[in-house]
Every structure is written in C-alpha cells, then in structure tokens.
Amino acid sequence: MSRRMSPEGKTVTALVAVVLTMGALAWAAVPFYDWFCRVTGYGGTTQVSQTGSDTVLDEVIRVRFDANVDPNLDWTFRPMQTSMELKIGETGLAFYEAVNNSDVAVTGTASYNVAPEVAGYYFDKIECFCFTEQTLQPGERIEMPVSFFVDPELVGDRDASWIRDITLSYTFHRTEPKQAALDAAPAANVN
C-alpha cells in the first residue's frame, strides 16, 4: 500500500528544499565571487603571475601608486614613488612604506585594486606585500615591495587598448594575526 504525501507535507518539503538551496548558494557565493574577480579582473582585481612577461612592447604606460589606511589602524602608509613609467610588458618594482604609530604590535592586511577597473585583467603581480599579513612592532618602519607588469595583451583588447594610465591602490586594514588566532582557538579534544 503506497502512502501519499498530504498537501501540507508537500509544501513543507518544497520549503525545506528552497531553504537548503538558498543556503548552499549563499555559502558558495563568496568563493565563487572571489574566483570570478580573479579570472575576469572585475572590480579592478589584479592577476597573479609566477614570472614576468616574455614580451615587452615599445609602448609606455604610467602606473600611479595610491595608499590608504583604515581608521582602525594606527599606521602611516604611503607609496615611496607617486608614479612610474614603463614599457607594456616590462617588469616594474615599486615600494610602499608602513610605520606603526602605536605602542603595541599590530598586524595589517592590504586589500587592493586598480583603476580603471578593466585594467585589472591585465595588471599582473609577481610579488607583493599584499599576499601576506604584515606585523609591525611599536614604532617599526618597513619598506614593502610590489613587483608587477602590464600584460601586452592589453593593447589588443578593444575595451582596454586605450589605457595608458593605471592607478594601483592599496588599503591597509587591521587584522588579527593568523598565528594568534590559531593559538587562541580551543584545542581539539583527542581521546
């Protein structure tokens, strides 16, 4: 004998399925958005490269450098050069300076983007202080490098070929050091 689900049971089952689907989509949204931005350069998200470009064009591009600090972080943060001209495909090396103005050790992490946003797809970082958190002791001053190039494919993109000025912008935010967070986490109960 087969049992049929009541209309109320079907409604509850459908609502549970909707809630579970929405929860799964919400959980996947952040990693998917991060992946999407890295792949497309959306929002000025830059690319990461293991090596420099093997092609250098005879066209010059200017990269401007910008620095910002979250109000919750008592640091002075600035680019050590305001701009740099280099050939498209040429590897550039720029430096930023950070100073901890507080009387305690503070950890910060830099978020970044480039403008115009469409340039993000063609702006490749080889090395960057923004890849890791930075911990500065009270009064400590450091110089932090960023090594980058502008991909020569920029000149063949009908939406980006006009770009000859790019602004690389960083904002430092206060963060909890990862090791401190790991130390503060409760130990796993091992039986």
Side-chain angles (χ1 to χ4, degrees):
M1 177 184 222
S2 72
R3 290 181 60 184
R4 294 197 168 206
M5 192 178 295
S6 69
E8 294 84 7
K10 288 180 182 178
T11 302
V12 168
T13 301
L15 289 174
V16 167
V18 167
V19 168
L20 290 175
T21 301
M22 290 176 68
L25 291 174
W27 175 81
V30 171
F32 178 75
Y33 182 76
D34 179 58
W35 170 82
F36 176 78
C37 290
R38 282 185 284 115
V39 168
T40 64
Y42 180 76
T45 302
T46 62
Q47 307 302 305
V48 177
S49 179
Q50 299 298 315
T51 61
S53 174
D54 56 0
T55 304
V56 177
L57 304 180
D58 218 14
E59 295 186 48
V60 174
I61 194 156
R62 179 177 31 206
V63 179
R64 293 186 175 106
F65 303 97
D66 178 54
N68 304 282
V69 179
D70 185 286
N72 296 326
L73 183 63
D74 190 14
W75 283 11
T76 301
F77 175 55
R78 69 176 187 86
M80 297 185 72
Q81 61 286 301
T82 56
S83 67
M84 173 186 298
E85 288 189 357
L86 58 148
K87 292 182 178 180
I88 295 175
E90 178 182 6
T91 298
L93 180 63
F95 289 88
Y96 281 76
E97 174 188 60
V99 179
N100 180 355
N101 301 316
S102 74
D103 58 359
V104 295
V106 179
T107 299
T109 304
S111 60
Y112 53 87
N113 69 341
V114 295
E117 290 182 4
V118 68
Y121 185 75
Y122 299 101
F123 196 95
D124 288 72
K125 292 181 186 174
I126 301 167
E127 297 249 350
C128 184
F129 60 90
C130 60
F131 294 161
T132 59
E133 62 186 21
Q134 305 295 321
T135 300
L136 299 181
Q137 298 305 314
E140 183 179 6
R141 175 194 169 275
I142 61 170
E143 292 180 8
M144 302 173 293
V146 56
S147 175
F148 64 92
F149 66 93
V150 177
D151 191 321
E153 290 186 12
L154 170 105
V155 299
D157 182 329
R158 67 181 177 88
D159 294 327
S161 62
W162 57 272
I163 297 172
R164 291 302 177 267
D165 285 290
I166 297 175
T167 300
L168 174 60
S169 182
Y170 290 97
T171 301
F172 253 104
H173 306 273
R174 186 181 193 121
T175 56
E176 285 300 316
K178 289 182 181 166
Q179 189 57 49
L182 290 172
D183 292 344
N189 187 4
V190 179
N191 290 331

